[in-house]
């Protein structure tokens, strides 16, 4: 993620709900809407192919934890 995007996320994280609503309205009013069809499809590179193979072969990749378990583990 770029430094600009990280700064935007950080700013949104600490702003009030009212300010976040203003930012969202700005986004909706000033930036073009996008959809999944607007994304350019890219072929997987070697790293992607390695990850996909690991998902198939590694039994740890088939272990899932529920949201409730995660929240309990985090004490939330």
């Amino acid at each position: 993620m770029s430094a600009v995007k990280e700064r935007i996320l950080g700013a949104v994280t600490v702003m009030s709900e009212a300010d976040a609503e203003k930012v969202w309205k700005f986004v909706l009013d000033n930036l073009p809407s996008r959809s999944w069809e607007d994304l350019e499809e890219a072929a997987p590179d070697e790293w992607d192919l390695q990850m996909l193979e690991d998902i198939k072969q590694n039994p740890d990749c088939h272990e899932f934890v529920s949201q409730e378990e995660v929240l309990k583990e985090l004490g939330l």
Side-chain angles (χ1 to χ4, degrees):
M1 180 180 309
S2 71
V4 171
K5 289 180 180 181
E6 287 183 23
R7 289 195 305 262
I8 290 170
L9 284 175
V12 171
T13 302
V14 298
M15 70 177 50
S16 69
E17 189 67 24
D19 287 342
E21 287 180 20
K22 290 175 188 173
V23 169
W24 185 242
K25 182 174 178 0
F26 174 84
V27 168
L28 293 176
D29 292 346
N30 294 285
L31 300 176
S33 63
R34 306 219 191 280
S35 72
W36 288 107
E37 289 76 30
D38 296 329
L39 295 175
E40 181 180 331
E41 189 171 329
D45 61 14
E46 188 58 38
W47 178 259
D48 296 328
L49 294 172
Q50 282 181 303
M51 287 192 306
L52 291 170
E53 189 60 33
D54 195 38
I55 290 168
K56 290 178 190 174
Q57 304 297 326
N58 186 341
D60 290 339
C61 292
H62 299 275
E63 187 176 310
F64 297 96
V65 179
S66 70
Q67 178 181 358
E68 292 79 20
E69 290 177 81
V70 171
L71 292 173
K72 183 179 176 183
E73 183 71 26
L74 294 173
L76 302 173

